[in-house]
Amino acid sequence: MRDRLRRLLQLLCVSVCLYVFLVHAEQQKAFDSGDAVRVHQEQSKGQKPLEEQNNPEALTAWQRNENDNGSRGAFAVHGALSILRDIKPPRNRLARFDKSSGIVGTAFYYAKEAFSLLFMNGPFQNDYLDPLLGERQLSKPLAKAVRLLEGAARDNDSDAIFLLAEMNFWGNHTHPRNYKEAFRRYLELSSITGNSSAQNMVGFMYATGIGGAVERDQAKALMYHTFSALGGNTRSEMTLAFRHHSGIGTPRHCNEAAFYYKKVADKAIAWSRSGPPGGMALQRESYRLADDNGGVYGEGASFVSSGANANKAGPGSDLHAAFDDVLEYLDLMSRKGDLKASFSLGKLHYEGSRTMKRNLTTARKYFLKVARTYWAKDGSISSEDVEGVGKIASKAAGYLGRMFLRGEGMEQNFDKALTWFRRGIANGDWLCQYELGLMYLHGLGVRKDAVTAGDYFKASAHQDFATAQVNLGQLFLDQGDIHTAMHYFDLAARHGHIEAFYHLAEINYHGIGRERSCGMATAYYKNVAEKVEIIHSSFEDANRAYEDGNEETALIEYMMAAEQGYEFGQANVAYMLDEYKSILPLDSLIPWKRQVSSLLRNAVLALVYWTRSAKQSNIDSMVKMGDYYLGGYGVEADMERAATCYQTAAEFQQSAQALWNLGWMHENGIGVEQDFHLAKRYYDQALETNQESYLPVKMSLLKLRMRSFWNTITHGKVNSIRSEPEPKRDWSFSEWISNFLEDDQSYFHSADDDDFADSALRDPMPGGDGYYDDIDESVVESLIIVSLAATLAFLVYYRQQRQANHRRVREQQQQGALVGAIAPPAQPLPGQQVDGGFFPPAGDPNFGQWVAGGVGH
């Protein structure tokens, strides 16, 4: 064990030494070892440039041609660019080093981090609020290039002014960043020439106040973005559309938002259609940085990784595996002859992802491997269709034909594409059906036939292939059948197809076949515009800068995307600016903590982007917005607004974190009325929503019950925890009858009939046709009600008839009594007494015999 620790310690020391050597080499390569100059200081003092001091004969051609300002400026810019191209920016080759690359990699990663914190963690160099920023030293080549550009800028050369602005803003070619100087240059260029790119940057800096260069002014930002959009700048068009859509710096105006979003969407759809047959391949670069860590609040606490969104896969599932591990596993299975693994590898390399770029050569290799397993060289089937080999081979044929059709990774060849498509169609492959329809639609290697194309599109669309549904909808739209076209567009929109969104936007914007809907059109246009990120967004550069450890550049690039309305950009900016990730930050206890640039410390701007992200249905951003109002971060503390944010996140999306926060606020009476019983309900709902919150919820409930008990025995004014009353419900007559029948049936069931009851519930009528299963319970209740009403009506009718008959009999009796009173008395019968009876009275001598039964005997 000691020997192993000794070897690991030696390896760690070697790693640290290697890291120091590499860093030192990079710094030596970045800056010249000779003298540097303070360009701005020398010019302010009226000194000659250093190059002239050291070498008076080193005068450039542009300095000799002072009479020709235009040619002199162009020559100066050309000379400066030639110098700047040779200046290589310092690169930290270890910035992308991943700590998850094994034991050695992990040890090296933490050694690098520890060394940086302990020995290389001085004050942050690029402090953009430093008043002496303009006096930072420049290397000799950079100073010469800057001097050339400044000389040309004095002659109002637009290229020189723009280059100086870009160097000061982005820190290009090792130039220190100076946002105030960059703003001055951008404003100068926009005033002189009306350059739309410069106007866009001026509007961006007014909107964000980046680096303290200028005070935030949304009205001026809107004005400069409007000028830039009129000049055709796509980024400003996106920004204006979002501002009119959300009401930033201007009242909300749906028509204006739709107008600008339509302009960007038209450019996006034109770019998408400009590629090979089938359109350009869209690569998505936008994602949330926080999602890599389980969300804003971490794994299990954030909405994106808890509750219904939690990863419910088992420990052995591939969902817990790293992407490299999945690739390694698929490659292993492919080597063993697993065709599904080979096809999956081909598809992964063909489509690419955020962590793996497209590799068309490798994709073709895997697709051919699958196809050759099923088809011989002459096209005949070489193996039996065992375990769906034909289906997998047909899918591979579809991708091979697509690559030949589009010329991806190989020379474009319509004949070979047609061969592969026809092979795949034999097994009903939807991609082959669509691609062959595309060839007939445009006459690519075959005759142009829209009818045949429509048949192939229809066959593929019925297998729910979105692209085929869009093309089929376009054919119906060309024929004037808007209803059918919209049906197929709606089907394709479920899969997020850009063409479907564009057609639906056009239909709603122009009111074709339906009433015009500005809101729907704006939403569809926004979706189309944001899908084609390559024409206006900066996500690719932002992601690269973030992975390289250049957080300042990444922040600015994400901020530009955020201003254009991307929710991912807004969430990323807020996440990077967020300094309140923990209530008890340990950074304050660590004297050697990593220094953070002043650019990344802006709570006001963080709250702005949390708010904009929350308005685009980001639940974690809504909860974070409540945290800022609760703690007074970047804004005056407002407990009622905090409670409103939490309530919104809890009601609509059931955020466990928001529910717990509401429980805490009701427990302590912060922003809401203190109510222990209501606090318990919120705590319980938080646990029901997210089972991973068991420990914090149970601890909170324990403390809450103690406080509630003390409040009860001391007769406090707070509403204590009480038992929930049984819900009472007023049953309708039909519900009462139904419940009575159900209770009556359950009464006759014994405890021994559980197994039979379970089987009866699973199959109410074994062997039946399921007819009675289709009878709705409401129909049964309606029949019962009708029967009872008919019975009641019959009883009322019967009662009325009985009363009528009784009344008739009584009237007849009364008439008969009246007639008897008038008629003479009748003669008595033999043996009849005076009172009309036949039995002897009590005083009669025969009474005893009658009692004894002797009468007549």
Side-chain angles (χ1 to χ4, degrees):
M1 183 67 181
R2 292 182 178 178
D3 295 338
R4 183 179 299 177
L5 291 176
R6 190 184 303 111
R7 287 194 295 269
L8 289 176
L9 183 60
Q10 293 175 354
L11 178 63
L12 181 62
C13 294
V14 172
S15 302
V16 171
C17 294
L18 179 61
Y19 173 71
V20 174
F21 175 76
L22 291 175
V23 171
H24 180 71
E26 290 289 344
Q27 291 179 347
Q28 286 295 109
K29 185 178 180 180
F31 296 95
D32 284 336
S33 58
D35 296 331
V37 294
R38 296 178 180 268
V39 176
H40 298 282
Q41 185 177 10
E42 291 176 357
Q43 291 180 350
S44 63
K45 293 179 181 179
Q47 299 178 1
K48 294 182 179 180
L50 182 62
E51 187 70 22
E52 294 185 19
Q53 295 176 7
N54 296 339
N55 187 8
E57 297 179 358
L59 299 177
T60 59
W62 72 272
Q63 290 173 310
R64 300 188 186 99
N65 300 330
E66 295 183 357
N67 295 329
D68 189 0
N69 293 339
S71 60
R72 184 181 65 181
F75 198 88
V77 172
H78 178 75
L81 287 175
S82 62
I83 296 174
L84 293 175
R85 290 191 189 99
D86 296 333
I87 301 177
K88 303 298 181 182
R91 294 181 301 170
N92 185 2
R93 297 178 180 177
L94 305 178
R96 290 175 179 248
F97 195 83
D98 189 4
K99 66 180 180 181
S100 61
S101 302
I103 298 177
V104 177
T106 303
F108 190 69
Y109 174 84
Y110 283 113
K112 176 178 72 73
E113 289 294 317
F115 186 83
S116 299
L117 289 173
L118 294 174
F119 304 107
M120 303 186 65
N121 193 29
F124 201 86
Q125 295 182 359
N126 290 334
D127 193 349
Y128 308 108
L129 302 181
D130 186 0
L132 301 178
L133 182 63
E135 299 182 2
R136 295 195 184 277
Q137 294 179 343
L138 306 178
S139 62
K140 287 181 179 180
L142 180 60
K144 181 179 180 180
V146 170
R147 188 172 65 256
L148 290 171
L149 292 174
E150 288 182 341
R154 284 192 291 270
D155 296 329
N156 293 334
D157 186 90
S158 58
D159 292 334
I161 297 174
F162 187 77
L163 282 173
L164 286 171
E166 292 282 286
M167 291 169 63
N168 281 278
F169 186 85
W170 296 106
N172 296 336
H173 309 291
T174 71
H175 192 284
R177 295 189 180 188
N178 188 334
Y179 289 105
K180 291 184 178 180
E181 177 66 16
F183 177 78
R184 185 180 74 84
R185 293 293 185 182
Y186 283 131
L187 186 62
E188 178 185 6
L189 181 59
S190 63
S191 301
I192 295 174
T193 64
N195 184 281
S196 62
S197 298
Q199 292 170 340
N200 171 262
M201 293 302 298
V202 172
F204 171 77
M205 298 183 78
Y206 269 123
T208 60
I210 188 74
V214 65
E215 187 176 355
R216 294 177 62 216
D217 191 328
Q218 301 301 331
K220 289 184 178 180
L222 182 70
M223 179 183 68
Y224 278 99
H225 278 304
T226 303
F227 290 151
S228 179
L230 292 176
N233 189 281
T234 307
R235 293 191 172 189
S236 287
E237 289 172 347
M238 279 288 290
T239 304
L240 272 181
F242 178 70
R243 285 177 168 261
H244 285 292
H245 181 58
S246 302
I248 301 175
T250 180
R252 297 185 62 180
H253 199 302
C254 182
N255 288 327
E256 288 292 323
F259 172 76
Y260 285 109
Y261 271 132
K262 176 175 168 55
K263 295 183 70 173
V264 182
D266 290 340
K267 296 178 182 179
I269 209 68
W271 180 88
S272 176
R273 294 171 178 174
S274 64
M280 299 289 288
L282 300 180
Q283 291 291 323
R284 179 178 174 180
E285 300 289 344
S286 58
Y287 70 98
R288 298 189 186 96
L289 299 176
D291 289 353
D292 289 343
N293 299 321
V296 174
Y297 294 98
E299 188 74 33
S302 306
F303 175 77
V304 297
S305 61
S306 64
N309 299 319
N311 185 3
K312 302 191 185 322
S317 173
D318 291 341
L319 294 177
H320 294 284
F323 185 75
D324 292 339
D325 295 336
V326 174
L327 285 179
E328 184 178 356
Y329 171 76
L330 290 176
D331 183 65
L332 176 63
M333 297 303 295
S334 175
R335 293 176 186 272
K336 292 182 178 181
D338 190 334
L339 295 183
K340 291 183 179 180
S342 299
F343 175 76
S344 298
L345 281 171
K347 189 175 180 182
L348 286 173
H349 284 287
Y350 178 79
E351 295 179 349
S353 64
R354 182 167 63 91
T355 57
M356 184 181 71
K357 299 300 181 182
R358 299 182 72 192
N359 190 331
L360 299 176
T361 303
T362 305
R364 178 191 178 187
K365 180 188 71 173
Y366 283 112
F367 289 143
L368 282 174
K369 180 180 179 180
V370 176
R372 287 169 178 168
T373 306
Y374 185 70
W375 287 293
K377 191 173 183 180
D378 59 354
S380 61
I381 299 176
S382 60
S383 64
E384 296 181 359
D385 191 3
V386 181
E387 296 182 356
V389 175
K391 288 287 186 181
I392 301 175
S394 297
K395 293 181 181 296
Y399 279 97
L400 286 170
R402 179 181 175 87
M403 295 175 74
F404 276 112
L405 178 65
R406 296 166 59 87
E408 295 176 325
M410 60 192 71
E411 186 178 355
Q412 191 177 40
N413 192 316
F414 294 150
D415 293 334
K416 292 183 179 181
L418 185 62
T419 300
W420 285 113
F421 291 149
R422 285 176 174 170
R423 290 179 182 179
I425 284 179
N427 289 312
D429 183 67
W430 46 264
L431 181 59
C432 293
Q433 292 169 344
Y434 159 72
E435 296 290 355
L436 192 55
L438 195 66
M439 294 182 71
Y440 275 104
L441 181 64
H442 300 289
L444 304 174
V446 294
R447 71 181 190 283
K448 193 172 184 179
D449 189 345
V451 177
T452 304
D455 293 336
Y456 283 117
F457 288 151
K458 186 176 182 180
S460 180
H462 286 176
Q463 298 187 59
D464 204 21
F465 185 44
T467 311
Q469 292 168 344
V470 168
N471 281 268
L472 190 58
Q474 289 175 344
L475 291 178
F476 281 107
L477 188 63
D478 293 339
Q479 296 174 3
D481 191 348
I482 299 175
H483 179 74
T484 306
M486 288 182 57
H487 168 71
Y488 284 107
F489 292 149
D490 288 332
L491 291 176
R494 294 181 296 113
H495 302 282
H497 198 281
I498 181 174
E499 288 275 357
F501 284 135
Y502 182 75
H503 284 295
L504 290 173
E506 289 284 279
I507 290 172
N508 283 277
Y509 184 75
H510 297 287
I512 302 173
R514 61 166 58 179
E515 186 178 355
R516 184 179 185 273
S517 175
C518 178
M520 292 292 293
T522 303
Y524 284 129
Y525 280 136
K526 184 176 187 293
N527 211 319
V528 173
E530 291 183 351
K531 279 186 175 294
V532 187
E533 300 172 355
I534 192 172
I535 66 173
H536 54 72
S537 78
S538 53
F539 277 111
E540 184 177 4
D541 296 334
N543 296 339
R544 187 184 305 110
Y546 188 80
E547 292 171 0
D548 288 339
N550 191 350
E551 295 185 350
E552 295 79 17
T553 301
L555 177 68
I556 296 172
E557 298 280 10
Y558 284 133
M559 199 176 293
M560 288 182 171
E563 286 295 309
Q564 295 169 14
Y566 282 94
E567 191 277 322
F568 286 170
Q570 295 163 356
N572 289 346
V573 172
Y575 182 72
M576 295 184 68
L577 293 176
D578 184 26
E579 300 182 69
Y580 310 100
K581 295 182 173 66
S582 175
I583 298 178
L584 299 174
L586 298 179
D587 292 345
S588 59
L589 305 178
I590 302 176
W592 58 82
K593 67 177 181 178
R594 188 183 296 274
Q595 298 295 323
V596 180
S597 167
S598 59
L599 191 66
L600 298 171
R601 302 192 299 269
N602 193 331
V604 176
L605 210 57
L607 178 59
V608 169
Y609 288 108
W610 283 130
T611 304
R612 294 181 184 178
S613 175
K615 287 184 177 180
Q616 298 199 67
S617 302
N618 188 318
I619 303 304
D620 286 333
S621 295
M622 179 67 71
V623 179
K624 200 69 179 181
M625 180 180 166
D627 293 345
Y628 272 60
Y629 281 114
L630 182 65
Y633 306 140
V635 68
E636 185 177 354
D638 191 333
M639 306 306 169
E640 293 184 359
R641 283 193 176 184
T644 301
C645 293
Y646 296 144
Q647 190 71 37
T648 303
E651 285 183 354
F652 290 97
Q653 295 293 341
Q654 288 293 304
S655 169
Q657 183 69 46
L659 289 167
W660 191 93
N661 291 349
L662 285 172
W664 180 84
M665 297 184 76
H666 279 283
E667 177 184 354
N668 296 281
I670 298 177
V672 293
E673 184 180 358
Q674 193 173 15
D675 191 328
F676 292 153
H677 182 74
L678 194 55
K680 178 183 179 299
R681 292 183 61 184
Y682 280 118
Y683 285 143
D684 291 338
Q685 290 182 25
L687 182 58
E688 292 176 1
T689 303
N690 182 14
Q691 295 297 323
E692 296 184 35
S693 63
Y694 179 85
L695 181 60
V697 168
K698 289 300 181 182
M699 294 179 65
S700 301
L701 286 174
L702 178 61
K703 178 172 66 72
L704 178 64
R705 288 189 180 278
M706 294 174 62
R707 294 185 64 181
S708 178
F709 175 74
W710 179 256
N711 178 73
T712 301
I713 63 177
T714 57
H715 303 287
K717 298 181 180 180
V718 182
N719 185 24
S720 298
I721 299 175
R722 60 186 184 276
S723 59
E724 295 288 348
E726 290 291 335
K728 295 182 179 180
R729 180 179 174 184
D730 296 332
W731 301 98
S732 64
F733 185 74
S734 61
E735 291 174 337
W736 183 86
I737 293 295
S738 177
N739 292 334
F740 175 78
L741 295 176
E742 290 178 0
D743 293 339
D744 185 55
Q745 292 173 359
S746 62
Y747 175 78
F748 289 101
H749 281 288
S750 63
D752 298 331
D753 296 333
D754 291 340
D755 295 337
F756 174 78
D758 292 341
S759 62
L761 288 174
R762 290 192 297 268
D763 190 2
M765 185 171 291
D769 56 2
Y771 170 78
Y772 293 99
D773 296 338
D774 298 333
I775 300 179
D776 196 343
E777 291 183 359
S778 60
V779 177
V780 177
E781 293 181 358
S782 301
L783 292 176
I784 293 175
I785 294 173
V786 172
S787 301
L788 292 175
T791 303
L792 182 61
F794 174 74
L795 292 176
V796 171
Y797 173 77
Y798 179 75
R799 183 172 179 273
Q800 291 176 350
Q801 294 298 321
R802 287 289 302 273
Q803 289 178 351
N805 292 335
H806 181 70
R807 190 183 310 108
R808 191 180 305 109
V809 170
R810 188 171 53 184
E811 291 177 354
Q812 291 176 357
Q813 290 177 351
Q814 291 177 355
Q815 293 177 359
L818 183 61
V819 173
I822 300 175
Q827 296 295 327
L829 297 175
Q832 184 177 10
Q833 302 297 331
V834 178
D835 58 358
F838 290 89
F839 303 108
D844 194 306
N846 297 325
F847 180 75
Q849 295 179 0
W850 175 77
V851 172
V855 178
H857 295 282

